[in-house]
């Protein structure tokens, strides 16, 4: 089994961290991942990790870009492949 983790990270516009978190949590994916976790960090950052039983290059649903007025920059996205512990 290959486990792929998709990382989605955005930085909210000034004072809009709670709104970005709420928006992120409301986003549904076309297919449910094995696991999904949402984190916050200083600087009004929101991070979403999703885990999938799929190859690294699989076509997987991802969270969209929020409205430009909600964030300070485009979303950062990365894919990681698990190699066990």
């Amino acid at each position: 089994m290959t486990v792929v983790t998709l990382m989605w990270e955005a930085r909210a516009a000034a004072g809009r961290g709670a709104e970005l978190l709420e928006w992120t949590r409301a986003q549904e994916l076309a297919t449910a991942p094995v696991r999904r976790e949402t984190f916050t960090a200083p600087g009004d950052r929101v991070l979403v990790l999703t885990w999938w039983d799929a190859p690294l290059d699989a076509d997987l649903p991802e969270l969209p870009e929020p409205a430009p007025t909600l964030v300070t920059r485009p979303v950062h996205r990365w894919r990681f492949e698990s190699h066990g512990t």
Side-chain angles (χ1 to χ4, degrees):
M1 172 176 84
T2 301
V3 176
V4 173
T5 303
L6 302 185
M7 189 199 88
W8 181 101
E9 185 266 337
R11 185 170 187 166
R16 299 189 72 184
E19 187 179 349
L20 178 61
L21 175 61
E22 181 180 319
W23 178 90
T24 303
R25 293 175 122 183
Q27 301 307 301
E28 293 188 24
L29 298 170
T31 306
V34 173
R35 181 173 156 196
R36 175 176 170 167
E37 289 193 43
T38 303
F39 303 85
T40 58
D44 286 332
R45 290 189 174 113
V46 177
L47 171 71
V48 179
L49 298 175
T50 56
W51 287 263
W52 305 86
D53 181 11
L56 186 62
D57 61 352
D59 184 19
L60 299 169
E62 296 192 43
L63 293 174
E65 290 280 334
T69 56
L70 190 55
V71 293
T72 61
R73 58 166 168 72
V75 169
H76 290 173
R77 302 169 192 270
W78 291 277
R79 286 183 178 222
F80 299 91
E81 185 175 22
S82 175
H83 293 280
T85 55

